C-alpha cells in the first residue's frame, strides 16, 4: 500500500515528501479553503514538490460543470486527476474524462456498489471514506475489504484509496484490507512514525554513550 498525503498545505506536503514516503497528494475543497490561497497556485506548487498523482476536486453538481471545471485543471499536468463526487452526474463526468485519457478519483464512496459503478464508468481511483463511516457506527475498513475483494474477483484495475483516515490504526486496517493507497493528514503520518519505546531507546543509548565517551580516542 502506498501513502498519499491528504492536504493542501505546501509546507507539510514538503516535509512529508522529504521523508521519502509520499507517492501522491489528495486535496478537497475544505482543505483548500483552510489555506486561504488560490487553488491553481497551490496545485502548481504541489506538482513541483511531489512527483506523483495529485487529486483536484471539482465543485459543480452537474456533469457539464464538472467537465468545464476539470478540463483546465487536468491541463496543468498529466499527473492531475480530477476528483468527482460519487453521483450519477459524477459518473457521466468520469466516463467523459476516461474517454479523453484524463485520470479521475471518485470521492465520497460509502458502499461497494458505488465503488463498482465508479470503476465501471472508468475511474482511475475510488475513495471510500473510512473515518466518516466509523463516525456513524459503521465499519469503514470492512468496506475497503469488500471493495478489494470485488475488484480482485472481477479483474478491475481501478485503485482503492482509503480516505478519511483519522488515526494510525485506520492506516494499518486499510493496508490489511487491501487498499492500494491510503491518503492521510500529515498529523497521522507524524503519529505513525512515533513509538514511545523508540524515544526511550534513543534516550538510553545517548545516556549510556555519555558514560562511554571518556574511553573514546577520537
Ligand atoms: C479524501 O480524499 C478526502 O479529502 C479526505 O480523506 C476526507 O477526510 P475527512 O473525512 O477527515 O474530511
Amino acid at each position: 500500500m502506498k501513502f498519499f498525503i491528504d492536504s493542501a498545505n505546501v509546507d507539510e506536503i514538503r516535509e512529508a515528501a522529504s521523508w521519502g514516503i509520499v507517492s501522491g497528494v489528495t486535496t478537497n475543497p475544505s482543505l483548500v479553503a483552510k489555506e486561504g490561497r488560490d487553488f491553481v497556485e497551490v496545485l502548481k506548487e504541489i506538482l513541483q514538490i511531489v512527483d506523483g498523482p495529485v487529486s483536484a476536486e471539482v465543485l459543480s453538481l452537474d456533469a457539464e460543470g464538472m467537465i468545464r471545471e476539470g478540463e483546465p485543471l487536468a491541463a496543468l499536468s498529466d499527473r492531475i486527476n480530477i476528483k468527482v463526487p460519487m453521483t450519477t452526474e459524477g459518473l457521466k463526468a468520469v466516463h467523459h474524462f476516461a474517454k479523453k485519457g484524463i485520470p479521475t478519483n471518485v470521492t465520497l464512496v460509502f458502499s461497494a456498489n458505488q465503488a463498482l459503478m465508479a470503476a465501471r464508468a472508468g475511474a482511475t481511483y475510488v475513495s471510500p471514506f473510512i473515518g466518516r463511516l466509523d463516525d456513524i457506527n459503521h465499519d469503514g475498513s470492512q468496506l475497503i475489504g469488500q471493495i478489494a475483494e470485488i475488484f480482485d474477483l472481477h479483474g478491475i484495475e481501478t485503485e482503492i484509496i482509503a480516505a478519511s483516515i483519522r488515526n494510525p490504526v485506520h492506516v494499518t486496517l486499510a493496508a490489511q484490507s487491501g487498499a492500494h493507497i491510503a491518503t492521510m493528514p500529515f498529523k497521522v503520518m507524524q503519529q505513525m512514525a512515533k513509538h514511545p519505546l523508540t524515544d526511550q531507546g534513543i534516550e538510553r543509548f545517548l545516556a549510556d554513550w555519555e558514560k562511554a565517551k571518556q574511553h573514546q580516542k577520537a
Side-chain angles (χ1 to χ4, degrees), residues 154-206:
H154 298 282
I156 291 170
E157 284 178 7
T158 302
E159 292 197 90
I160 303 164
I161 304 181
S164 186
I165 294 229
R166 304 275 166 77
N167 56 57
V169 175
H170 277 157
V171 180
T172 311
L173 289 173
Q176 285 180 315
S177 309
H180 301 94
I181 297 150
T183 189
M184 66 205 73
F186 179 55
K187 185 172 159 249
V188 173
M189 290 183 169
Q190 288 175 309
Q191 290 170 329
M192 283 165 64
K194 293 285 267 180
H195 196 287
L197 290 179
T198 307
D199 296 339
Q200 279 173 33
I202 291 170
E203 248 174 67
R204 194 178 306 163
F205 284 148
L206 290 179

Side-chain angles (χ1 to χ4, degrees), residues 104 115 118-120 122-126 147 151 155-160 180:
T104 50
R120 288 306 184 205
T124 316
Y125 305 103
V126 288
I147 299 171
F151 282 10
I156 291 170
E157 284 178 7
T158 302
E159 292 197 90
I160 303 164
H180 301 94

Side-chain angles (χ1 to χ4, degrees), residues 209 213-218:
W209 194 248
K213 252 184 179 169
Q214 50 180 312
H215 307 298
Q216 308 311 310
K217 290 189 178 138

Side-chain angles (χ1 to χ4, degrees), residues 35-54:
E35 297 309 308
R37 296 188 52 202
D38 178 68
F39 184 31
V40 170
E41 287 304 310
V42 171
L43 287 175
K44 284 182 180 166
E45 281 182 45
I46 294 174
L47 287 164
Q48 298 283 330
I49 302 167
V50 175
D51 184 22
V54 177

